[in-house]
Amino acid sequence: MFGQTEKKTNIKAHIKYCCGKVMGVISEQNLERAFNRAEVISFDIFDTLVKRNVALPEHVHRLVQKEFLEQTGTEIPAYPRYRTEAEDRARKHTDKEEISLDDIFSFLHEIPEEWKNRLKQIERQTEIAVCTPSPKMKAVYEKALRDGKKIIITSDMYLDEETIRKILHKCGYDTYEKLYLSSSYGLCKSRGSIYEVIQKDYAACKGRILHIGDNVKGDYVVPKKKGFSALLIDGQESSLKFWKKKDRRVENQFLYERLYSFLNNHASSDYNDAMSIGYEILGPMLFGYCKWLFERIRVDKIDKIFFLSREGKIIQEAFQTLYPQCDIEQTYLYVSRQALVVPQFAHAADFDEMADKFQVLANEPLVNVIPDICGFDREVFNEKLLSAGLDSAWKIAKVPDEKKEDLYRIILELGRDTFMQQEEYIVAYLKENDVVGNVAIVDIGWSGTMQKALQQYIIDKDTKLYGYYLGVRNIKDDDYYAGLLRNGYLFDARCNENFNLVMRFTAEIIEMLFLNAAGSVLRYTASEEGIVPVLNGTEFGRAEMQFIKAVQPAALNFLNLIKKDELLKRETEIPTDIIESIYYCFAVQPSHFTLKIFEGFRVRNGKVKNIYPEYGFFYCLFHPSRFYRDFRESACKIFFLKKLFRVKLPYFAVLKIFYRLL
């Protein structure tokens, strides 16, 4: 029954919306003309001055139901339906044009009388909590103030005047001459009677009263019949670029729609494309991840939290934004795969053991990348290769067996002392940062290479490292990572292998969202202050840096905004299917608009290269080997294929099939 009511409400709202579009929605030009002629500006409240952070007004009843359960421990399973039916009955059995909240609850027969006052109180508090000012209409209201207009507020609403005034105050609408509320006057806009009262009160301004609202009949047609000027606004306008209003794949559709409404109500018209990605994609992802992280560290009784450079920086900032009261010690730890893994070459038993480590440091590495990874003088290294009859163009995984010992000897000869020194520095660095106890390490994740390496440098045998990641690759059969305490928010070895593949096929995009602008750790050195990291120069160009510096502040802005929403802030978790849904819309089915955002971006994955192919479809037909090589090296295969073929195809489904076959 309640679902049917929602469906009818949606259809009705859509019809009104279409009518409003035909009749003409407010523009800057007609707003200026109307303002110049008016002395009195009358504003509607809901969906005009004020937005609700719910998809439908009826959704407030679900929040009331939830809050009543939390306050009393008593669940009223069908409360939203009871509340809707009570309002329908109250409207049918009244002689007044408008009813009040007390009238509605007098017809709420299914609820014991002793619960009603509590429920009414919760409903008033909830209505205040879900309301937020409309950015566009706040600007119009402030223009009316600057222009010295007389401002009145006119609304059809069953809530009492005290509650409405609290809503207006919360939203920053404190300056107005009068409040014309249908529940106070017993009159409503749709019948025109409340406009007649306004005409009498402002008789001296006849013909110079402007009403602004979102309802076609009550805010546009009727006031114009009564001699008012009227402007219609689009109460359902969507300002989001990457969210759908609904996604039926999401189990908790109610929470999804609340987040959509919140994002839409607070979206800034000043945001560029990168800022929108931060606000709509990265922000909600960090929101869900940090909620999950906060619960995990509580359950696992964590003593200290270490956010790993570089992707851990934005996670730390997000966590501290959401949980400033968290009293667990938190540290940003400068580490990298290269800085932690390379010193372990000193203890490698043979070249094959080294080769395994090189594989986690570069994508299909060649012998010629060894100097960069190990910090060798390239000229000296090449001379030794030449004298030993070794080829720098060999793939490390394909070095001939008879040459492995020679290459192993060269690496140790050039690097053993440095490797040993770096190992000492790392142990000292971890000791200086007090990495002992039940320790959480937080990072974007994937395989767990850094956690494995850190574990090997921990001297205190009672110290436990708990890895908390956005995602953990399904590597349960890989002995190298056996025994690590790891958990992933979006996916891990126990769940959601499908989304693991999504992230694998769009790795460069997701990592760029989290990346810190500072360079990666190359090695460590000793100073008077202790052990300090040595960073490389950033490997990204200006466009990529501008993108990162736009995305992350917008994501943090989302988190700061959501902290002000008491109801959303108190959600215990954000289900992963909601995050998956928005990421799917953004990256798994990228539009041409989304592809254009990353045009010309270059990434480093063993070598610097463009995210997109530097040629078109017909070129790859005649150069299949070039296409195959570039495709294999790409860490953003969905975007690569969409850019190449340009048409809408099930790229992810195809990639998934090939991945499982290989």
Side-chain angles (χ1 to χ4, degrees), residues 35 81 102 151 184 195 261 320 334 346 351 374 391 398 402 422 432 455 467 471 476 524 528 581 588 604 611 662:
F35 259 56
R81 176 167 61 85
D102 288 336
I151 296 176
S184 298
Y195 291 118
S261 298
Q320 291 176 343
Y334 282 94
F351 179 75
C374 296
D391 189 343
K398 301 291 185 180
E402 65 274 13
Q422 285 297 303
E432 288 175 4
Q455 190 78 62
K476 57 187 176 183
Y524 300 89
E528 293 181 359
S581 169
V588 176
R604 173 174 288 183
I611 289 180
L662 296 174

Side-chain angles (χ1 to χ4, degrees), residues 449-647:
T449 302
M450 285 202 289
Q451 183 177 350
K452 176 71 174 180
L454 282 169
Q455 190 78 62
Q456 294 174 350
Y457 292 115
I458 298 295
I459 297 175
D460 181 6
K461 300 306 179 184
D462 293 328
T463 294
K464 284 186 178 181
L465 292 185
Y466 293 80
Y468 302 111
Y469 305 106
L470 191 71
V472 175
R473 294 272 186 251
N474 189 355
I475 48 177
K476 57 187 176 183
D477 298 326
D478 194 327
D479 292 338
Y480 181 77
Y481 297 102
L484 294 184
L485 300 171
R486 294 172 300 161
N487 288 279
Y489 167 53
L490 292 175
F491 58 87
D492 60 24
R494 297 176 295 278
C495 67
N496 215 347
E497 170 64 12
N498 199 58
F499 204 62
N500 169 19
L501 295 179
V502 170
M503 290 295 188
R504 186 183 291 273
F505 298 147
T506 59
E508 291 295 356
I509 298 298
I510 186 65
E511 289 175 10
M512 191 175 293
L513 300 187
F514 282 80
L515 193 61
N516 184 256
S520 179
V521 179
L522 288 175
R523 60 187 181 278
Y524 300 89
T525 189
S527 72
E528 293 181 359
E529 292 78 24
I531 305 301
V532 294
V534 177
L535 308 182
N536 68 355
T538 179
E539 66 268 39
F540 294 98
R542 182 179 177 185
E544 292 85 346
M545 285 299 97
Q546 287 179 336
F547 175 81
I548 293 166
K549 290 178 179 180
V551 165
Q552 295 181 1
L556 295 176
N557 182 50
F558 165 79
L559 298 179
N560 278 304
L561 287 169
I562 213 160
K563 280 173 61 179
K564 300 175 183 178
D565 188 305
E566 290 298 325
L567 299 179
L568 277 174
K569 186 175 69 174
R570 283 163 46 197
E571 288 292 332
T572 55
E573 66 173 337
I574 305 301
T576 57
D577 61 354
I578 292 180
I579 306 304
E580 292 168 30
S581 169
I582 59 174
Y583 192 76
Y584 263 74
C585 293
F586 164 64
V588 176
Q589 300 167 345
S591 64
H592 292 294
F593 159 76
T594 303
L595 290 178
K596 191 173 181 181
I597 295 172
F598 299 95
E599 192 76 53
F601 278 31
R602 295 166 66 82
V603 297
R604 173 174 288 183
N605 190 13
K607 59 183 178 180
V608 176
K609 62 180 299 178
N610 289 334
I611 289 180
Y612 298 144
E614 300 172 19
Y615 43 80
F617 173 71
F618 289 105
Y619 178 92
C620 80
L621 288 179
F622 295 99
H623 302 82
S625 60
R626 168 79 184 276
F627 163 72
Y628 180 71
R629 184 194 70 199
D630 291 348
F631 176 69
R632 279 184 60 87
E633 291 181 355
S634 172
C636 195
K637 289 180 168 53
I638 292 176
F639 280 57
F640 184 98
L641 292 177
K642 179 66 180 285
K643 184 66 177 179
L644 187 64
F645 294 106
R646 297 184 179 274
V647 295

Side-chain angles (χ1 to χ4, degrees), residues 49-280:
L49 288 180
V50 170
K51 297 281 191 177
R52 287 184 176 103
N53 292 326
V54 288
L56 294 170
E58 293 82 3
H59 288 179
V60 170
H61 309 328
R62 295 197 193 183
L63 295 174
V64 172
Q65 175 190 35
K66 182 178 179 181
E67 184 65 20
F68 186 79
L69 172 61
E70 290 181 4
Q71 288 188 15
T72 67
T74 302
E75 185 172 10
I76 312 175
Y79 178 75
R81 176 167 61 85
Y82 295 157
R83 170 61 178 77
T84 301
E85 291 173 350
E87 185 173 341
D88 291 340
R89 288 194 292 266
R91 294 189 183 282
K92 289 176 183 177
H93 292 84
T94 185
D95 296 328
K96 298 182 293 184
E97 291 185 15
E98 181 60 284
I99 57 176
S100 67
L101 192 62
D102 288 336
D103 294 331
I104 294 171
F105 272 79
S106 69
F107 283 90
L108 195 55
H109 305 311
E110 300 87 350
I111 302 298
E113 288 297 322
E114 61 268 23
W115 293 357
K116 289 185 179 181
N117 283 337
R118 175 70 70 89
L119 285 164
K120 278 192 284 186
Q121 179 185 13
I122 292 174
E123 181 164 340
R124 293 187 184 102
Q125 293 170 342
T126 303
E127 285 282 8
I128 296 169
V130 300
C131 285
T132 189
S134 164
K136 289 185 178 179
M137 290 310 299
K138 188 72 176 291
V140 175
Y141 167 84
E142 290 171 350
K143 173 179 170 54
L145 288 178
R146 289 194 305 271
D147 291 353
K149 306 297 183 182
K150 297 175 182 179
I151 296 176
I152 60 176
I153 310 291
T154 310
S155 180
D156 284 350
M157 188 53 172
Y158 49 75
L159 287 173
D160 56 278
E161 187 169 318
E162 181 184 358
T163 301
I164 293 296
R165 289 189 185 277
K166 287 180 179 178
I167 290 172
L168 292 170
H169 173 71
K170 177 194 174 187
C171 295
Y173 301 112
D174 290 313
T175 304
Y176 49 90
E177 289 194 352
K178 291 187 178 181
L179 174 60
Y180 293 93
L181 195 61
S182 59
S183 59
S184 298
Y185 283 82
L187 307 172
C188 64
K189 293 185 297 182
S190 59
R191 296 190 184 183
S193 51
I194 204 162
Y195 291 118
E196 293 172 1
V197 174
I198 296 172
Q199 283 177 321
K200 290 178 182 178
D201 290 347
Y202 290 90
C205 302
K206 185 177 181 181
R208 296 188 301 278
I209 305 175
L210 169 65
H211 180 73
I212 303 175
D214 72 299
N215 185 278
V216 174
K217 180 181 179 182
D219 292 315
Y220 189 80
V221 175
V222 173
K224 287 183 78 70
K225 284 182 178 179
K226 295 296 180 180
F228 287 55
S229 297
L231 289 174
L232 191 67
I233 73 158
D234 185 351
Q236 298 183 44
E237 184 179 14
S238 176
S239 302
L240 303 183
K241 298 177 181 178
F242 302 103
W243 277 65
K244 299 177 181 178
K245 285 189 176 182
K246 295 179 182 292
D247 190 335
R248 294 303 179 189
R249 294 173 300 182
V250 174
E251 184 175 347
N252 191 338
Q253 190 67 207
F254 178 51
L255 179 56
Y256 176 93
E257 291 179 7
R258 286 173 63 201
L259 285 167
Y260 172 90
S261 298
F262 178 90
L263 283 154
N264 194 42
N265 291 343
H266 293 81
S268 172
S269 58
D270 296 331
Y271 276 177
N272 60 25
D273 296 336
M275 292 175 178
S276 294
I277 291 171
Y279 177 72
E280 298 180 34

Side-chain angles (χ1 to χ4, degrees), residues 379-399:
E379 187 175 338
V380 173
F381 179 76
N382 286 338
E383 287 178 0
K384 290 188 176 293
L385 287 184
L386 186 62
S387 63
L390 302 172
D391 189 343
S392 64
W394 285 339
K395 289 183 179 180
I396 287 177
K398 301 291 185 180
V399 172

